[in-house]
Structures are given as structure tokens and as C-alpha cells.
Amino acid sequence: MHRRAAQTARQLPQPRAGTRGVVVALGFGNRSVRPNAVNRWRARIAVRTAERAELAGATATIICSGGAVRGATPEALLLRQYIVDRLHWRGEVIVELNSSSTWENVRNVLPLVEEYDWIAFASNGLHAAKARIYLARQRPGLSGRLVAADDYRLGEMTWVKPLFAVVGLVKLRSVFHVERPGC
């Protein structure tokens, strides 16, 4: 399922030389003051997506999005900490600290992404697909700027992918049946 989602996303345009883009790292509920495995995974996706864009000659900024949903520290701060301190990203990192759902992640980053030529969502493929649908619903004019994240690696996070496939498919199905999703 994750590979299929990545293949579908690859049909989107790729960042081109001379363009400026943003990679939105979507936070995941985190109880600890250290980023959990899912947030570390999403951070890796964000950085490799930004690095791939820069190799193509584009300029990339990372936005970390997520509030303190399950713990005292906002997910965005945990993502930024990991991206800068552990993954050694030296580009610009912006944080959005108030979101508590994917719908809110997208809504709250809209003012931050409007100035960019391309937008990628860093998460597992099914969750990123949901974020792209939400962007198209909230700001249809920006959906033409969407690009695929580098979100699929064979063997990466295999222990959690089956669960995320089930949850992702259920939530994607609900996206098509609910006018204003809250998750």
C-alpha cells in the first residue's frame, strides 16, 4: 500500500532548478520530550525530500507542523530539533505550533506556503495523500504546486507500515465521505 501511494504521488511534478519550495513535516502525537520513531521517520522524509530538491537545483525550506497533542512539547519543536541536531539540515526551518490534526496542519501552514513554487508533505504516503487532498479542499489554487515527497524506502519502518496502511486507508476513505475532516 505504501509503495502504491508513493508510485501514485510520483505522477506529480518534481521540483525544478531555480524554484523555491517547502517541505511540510507533519507531526505525530508524541508523549516524550524526545521525538518518537514516527516523528524521526517523518523528519528523515522531510530532509531527504529537501535534499533531493536541492540536488535538482531548487531551494528548499522545511516547515515543521504540530502542536502539543499528546505531550507537553509541540511536535513541531521535536521535529525541528531532530532535523537540525541529528540530521544536520542547514537550510531554513520554520515551525507551526498550533495544529492538533492533519486538517489543522494544512490550514495553519497555508499562509506560510503561499509564496513558494512547490509544496511537499513529509509523512507516510497515505497520510501525505490525505494532506494533499486537504490542501486541494482548503486552497484549490495551490494544489497545482504539489510535488511528491521522498516518502518510500523499501525496508524502512516495516514494523509500523501494516498498521499505518490500515489506518491510512480507513482515514482516506472517510475523507471522501466527510465535508470538513477533523483528523
Side-chain angles (χ1 to χ4, degrees), residues 89-159:
W89 173 252
R90 297 296 171 230
E92 183 177 13
V93 179
I94 300 169
V95 294
E96 180 287 305
L97 303 170
N98 299 308
S99 300
S100 61
S101 68
T102 306
W103 181 264
E104 289 180 9
N105 287 129
V106 172
R107 183 190 67 208
N108 294 342
V109 301
L110 284 173
L112 304 172
V113 304
E114 289 176 326
E115 68 184 77
Y116 292 96
D117 300 314
W118 53 267
I119 304 160
F121 287 104
S123 186
N124 72 73
L126 296 169
H127 187 231
K130 182 170 79 166
R132 290 190 296 268
I133 292 167
Y134 286 176
L135 178 95
R137 286 186 180 174
Q138 293 179 35
R139 191 72 58 82
L142 294 179
S143 63
R145 299 183 195 179
L146 290 167
V147 301
D150 189 358
D151 58 14
Y152 180 77
R153 292 282 157 81
L154 183 64
E156 182 179 52
M157 296 290 284
T158 55
W159 59 274

Side-chain angles (χ1 to χ4, degrees), residues 24-44:
V24 180
L26 300 168
F28 183 81
N30 204 110
R31 289 186 173 90
S32 174
V33 295
R34 293 178 32 212
N36 61 28
V38 175
N39 279 320
R40 292 191 308 268
W41 179 29
R42 290 179 181 184
R44 288 191 305 274

Side-chain angles (χ1 to χ4, degrees), residues 1 8 103 125-137 167-183:
M1 291 311 312
T8 300
W103 181 264
L126 296 169
H127 187 231
K130 182 170 79 166
R132 290 190 296 268
I133 292 167
Y134 286 176
L135 178 95
R137 286 186 180 174
V167 170
L169 289 172
V170 168
K171 288 190 174 189
L172 271 175
R173 185 171 179 225
S174 72
V175 164
F176 295 108
H177 292 51
V178 177
E179 185 61 29
R180 285 186 44 108
C183 58

Side-chain angles (χ1 to χ4, degrees), residues 2-77:
H2 293 281
R3 183 174 46 119
R4 187 176 303 164
Q7 289 170 334
T8 300
R10 284 191 201 110
Q11 295 172 6
L12 294 168
Q14 295 299 313
R16 295 180 325 275
T19 60
R20 293 176 54 242
V22 63
V23 181
V24 180
L26 300 168
F28 183 81
N30 204 110
R31 289 186 173 90
S32 174
V33 295
R34 293 178 32 212
N36 61 28
V38 175
N39 279 320
R40 292 191 308 268
W41 179 29
R42 290 179 181 184
R44 288 191 305 274
I45 292 168
V47 169
R48 67 184 180 227
T49 300
E51 289 174 342
R52 182 192 70 200
E54 290 192 337
L55 283 173
T59 302
T61 296
I62 296 175
I63 297 177
C64 300
S65 179
V69 176
R70 293 198 179 134
T73 306
E75 297 157 7
L77 293 179

